[in-house]
Structures are given as C-alpha cells and as structure tokens.
Amino acid sequence: MLGGAPTRSPAVAAGMSGPRCPQCAQPWVSPRLLPCLHSLCDPCLRRLGALEGEPGGAARPVLCPVCDAEVSLPPGGVGQLTPDCLAGSRAGAAAGCDLCADGAAAGRCLTCGVRLCPFCCRAHRRQKKTASHAVMELENTKDCSQAGKPLLCPSHPTEELRLFCEQCDQPVCQECVLGRHRQHPYDFTSNVIHRHGDALRKLLKNTQQHMDTLEDVLSQIDKMGSAVRSRAEAVATEICLFASGYVRAIEEHRDRLLKQLEDLKVQKENLLHLQKAQLQQLLLDMRTGLHSARQNQRTGFTLLCNDTTGERMGQGGEAVQVTITHKDKRDCAVKPTVCDNGDGTYYISYSPEEPGLYAVCISVKGQHVQGSPFTLKVKHKFREHQGVFHCCTFCSSGGQKAARCACGGTMPGGYQGCGHGHKGHPGCHHWSCCGQVKQSSECLGGPPSDTSSRSLLRTVAL
C-alpha cells in the first residue's frame, strides 16, 4: 500500500532471535501494539497504515491481519502507536508470570508476547479476545536467553524503561518524561505492575468463580436438554397412541352408525313394502268389493285400523258404523254386518237385493274413513254358461247339419253349426251358449241360475 517503507536487511534479520512477526514471519523490527492488542513489526504496520508524514493525516481504520478486527491508527501515523517492549526486548523471559506475578512462567503467548503461569495460560485460552492466540510452553521458545535483559526505550536505546506514562498508557524512560511526555502523570513501572497485577489477580479470581458456575450451568443445561428430549419422545409416543385410539374409536363408532342406518333402512323399506302391498290390496278390494257386487250374493270386505304412526292396531273395540243405501231407491237399504276380529280388523259383509248404484258410508268413532262414502255398483245375479266350451259345433254334435251354435257361426254346405277350428275357419274354444271365449266368464245369454255365495277380502285403510 505504501511506498518508501523501510526494509530490514538480511544482517539485521539474521542477528535477531526470538518470536517472529505474525504478518511477515520474520524476527521483530520495532514491534508496536495495535488497539486490538496484537503486535506487528514497524514495516508491516507502515504497509497497513497511512503515509508517514502525511499532512493533516486523520485516523484511518485498518484491519488487523491477525484477528481481522477493524482498528484506527492515531492521527500521527504508525509512529504514534505504543511500542511493544515485551515482544522486542523481553520476548523470551522465563522468570515470573507477567499477569499474576504469583507463579513461575510456564508458557508464553506468541501473539501478545507475555509470560504466563499455568493458571493464566488456561485463562488466556478461555478469554474471548485471546482465545485464538498461540501459547507455547516456555522451554519450547527459542529466546529464553533474553530473560534477564532490561527493557530499553525504543526512542532512547541507552535508557531503560523504568517509568509508565499514565496519560499515554505506555512505558517510558526518563528522557521521554523530560521530552514529549512532559507534564504527563507517570509512575514507576514496578508500582504500575503491582497495581495492575492486583487488579488482574482479583479479576482472575472472580473469573475463576464465574467459570466454575458457568461450567455447572452448562452441565445442568446438557442434563436438561437430555431430559427435554426424553420427555418429548415420550409425549410424542403418547400422542401417537392417543391419536390411534381416537381414530380407532371413531371408526368403530362410524361402523356402529352405519350398521344402525342399514338396519333402519331395511326396516323402513320393509314397512314401505308392507304399506304398498296394503294399498294395492286396498285398491283391488275397492275395485271389486266396494265398487262392484252381485245381486243377492253375499260379499264383504275387511277394514284395517291403523294408529297415527301408520302401524296396525293390535286390538279391536272401535265404534265402526257402515251404511249402504241405494242412490235411486231411498227405501232400498242394505243392512251390513260388522264383525270385530279383535286384532284391529273388522269384517263387513252385506247382500244387496236390487241391482244399481249404492253409497257405502264407513265411519270410525263418528269420523269417515278416507274415501268414504264409496260408490258400489251391484250387478245382476251371475249367469252361468249352459252350453259347451268347445272349438266346433259340428264336432260337438257328431256332424249334424241342424246343430246350431249361439255364436252365430255356420259352415259351407248347409251346416247350421259353426266351423271354428276347421280349415278355412280359424278360431278358438268358446261357449256354445253365448259364444264367450273366456271359460270363467259370465254367460251373456240363457236363463240365470243360482250360484253359491262367495266371500271376498276387502281391505280399507283409515
């Protein structure tokens, strides 16, 4: 960065011993302390700092090549930095600890250049600002021979650093006190060392107590972390078990509800089928028993009484009233018979004497049932066939030409009978008396005959 920086000669570099500059890895040349407490030799500092003698030079921030901390150089440049006398003159001293002065030096910080007892070595490695410093055992350093040399002033090489400027916070000699440190408060270095040493020892003692406490706290934190992890795993297991049981219970409840729904559906479907069958039977009975009957033929129907929910009543005892009157002949009434079956059904039978239209009124507890009054059509007495249900009069009469059939059919050749069923006369079986083709039909001709009465089942819903 800077031109004109002094370079060290091979002779000077070869004649120096002890630790080396961490920047150039060469023996120290006028080492100075940066604000971050790292030491660099003068040539390395000048390559980092402002131009020497720059007019009006202000503080310029630079990065320490050791810790990468941003530090500011004084306005006067590198020359105003505090000389590191320990690194330059007493780098290898192995007498006592420079920090506590209680124990013998067992090691030395290659970064700070201070001698350290075993306790201070450990503290030096634990502190945040010095944790990255390289500390070596004293017997491994190569400049132990300089342990007894006095500390000389870099500005006045013949003077020993016996004083300490309180204002500039650096060791000085008598010439410095009389020169640029005039009117600055100062004290003997021995007093400053003891004073700062006592403070450091007190701080180290407090630090040791806090370190023990911190170590206990860290141990407790590790234990608590293990307990938290164990508890979390146990709770996770409980959550999984609870969720599985909850899901299983929901599935079982779902299956029960679906089973109940299926049973209810089957029950309702059966009830609907039953009601449908009853309605169909009701319609059939109303079309037959309540809507049509035969003269002087006893017939009837069954009345089913249901409750308000549509279920069939299981007991009788209701007041059922039935009236059957002729619409054209007011004096022609039919007296019905009501039979209580005791199971919620009532059989009503009647025998009309006159053909025609009748009005059937049915009431329970004084209220008409649904559809009442009904219209009843009474037909004439059922006429039975007097002839033969055959396919051909010619065949039935044994081939007589004079045999006639009530159907009116004849055959060619003078035959009076029908020729149904023969070639040229396709036909079917029929009654010879009236020509009806249905065997169980009523005869349309011939005198009526008495038939036995029959009872029909009639179903009427309330």
Side-chain angles (χ1 to χ4, degrees), residues 365-398:
K365 293 182 179 179
Q367 294 184 358
H368 284 273
V369 299
Q370 183 179 0
S372 177
F374 301 96
T375 299
L376 173 64
K377 183 178 181 181
V378 178
K379 299 180 181 180
H380 290 282
K381 192 173 182 180
F382 187 82
R383 296 172 179 265
E384 291 187 355
H385 292 281
Q386 301 299 319
V388 180
F389 189 69
H390 65 162
C391 67
C392 179
T393 306
F394 177 76
C395 298
S396 302
S397 64

Side-chain angles (χ1 to χ4, degrees), residues 61-136:
V62 295
L63 292 179
C64 174
V66 179
C67 64
D68 289 334
E70 183 176 331
V71 296
S72 298
L73 297 178
V78 177
Q80 297 298 320
L81 290 174
T82 302
D84 189 355
C85 301
L86 294 177
S89 302
R90 299 180 57 191
C97 179
D98 291 334
L99 296 181
C100 65
D102 288 339
R108 185 178 184 280
C109 178
L110 299 181
T111 305
C112 302
V114 295
R115 295 170 297 180
L116 304 171
C117 65
F119 178 79
C120 293
C121 285
R122 293 191 297 271
H124 205 67
R125 292 189 181 97
R126 291 173 180 170
Q127 291 182 6
K128 183 177 181 181
K129 292 185 177 181
T130 59
S132 61
H133 292 188
V135 179
M136 297 182 61

Side-chain angles (χ1 to χ4, degrees), residues 327-399:
K327 289 188 176 183
D328 296 331
K329 301 177 181 180
R330 298 297 179 181
D331 56 346
C332 183
V334 179
K335 184 177 181 181
T337 302
V338 179
C339 179
D340 187 354
N341 296 325
D343 57 355
T345 63
Y346 302 85
Y347 181 74
I348 296 94
S349 61
Y350 57 94
S351 178
E353 296 179 355
E354 295 290 338
L357 296 179
Y358 288 79
V360 181
C361 297
I362 305 174
S363 61
V364 178
K365 293 182 179 179
Q367 294 184 358
H368 284 273
V369 299
Q370 183 179 0
S372 177
F374 301 96
T375 299
L376 173 64
K377 183 178 181 181
V378 178
K379 299 180 181 180
H380 290 282
K381 192 173 182 180
F382 187 82
R383 296 172 179 265
E384 291 187 355
H385 292 281
Q386 301 299 319
V388 180
F389 189 69
H390 65 162
C391 67
C392 179
T393 306
F394 177 76
C395 298
S396 302
S397 64

Side-chain angles (χ1 to χ4, degrees), residues 166-212:
E166 299 285 353
Q167 181 174 337
C168 300
D169 197 22
Q170 68 179 37
V172 295
C173 65
Q174 294 180 358
E175 295 294 336
C176 294
V177 171
L178 297 176
R180 59 191 181 92
H181 293 279
R182 182 180 299 177
Q183 297 181 354
H184 289 185
Y186 64 92
D187 197 355
F188 289 101
T189 55
S190 59
N191 296 335
V192 175
I193 290 175
H194 287 298
R195 185 168 66 250
H196 288 283
D198 293 341
L200 288 175
R201 282 189 290 273
K202 185 176 180 180
L203 290 175
L204 289 174
K205 184 177 180 181
N206 295 335
T207 302
Q208 182 64 37
Q209 294 176 355
H210 289 301
M211 288 173 59
D212 296 339

Side-chain angles (χ1 to χ4, degrees), residues 207-228:
T207 302
Q208 182 64 37
Q209 294 176 355
H210 289 301
M211 288 173 59
D212 296 339
T213 303
L214 288 175
E215 290 177 355
D216 295 340
V217 172
L218 289 174
S219 178
Q220 294 178 3
I221 290 176
D222 293 338
K223 294 180 180 179
M224 291 179 64
S226 300
V228 168

Side-chain angles (χ1 to χ4, degrees), residues 130-149:
T130 59
S132 61
H133 292 188
V135 179
M136 297 182 61
E137 294 182 1
L138 195 58
E139 57 268 17
N140 293 335
T141 59
K142 300 179 180 180
D143 47 4
C144 297
S145 58
Q146 299 181 0
K149 293 183 179 181

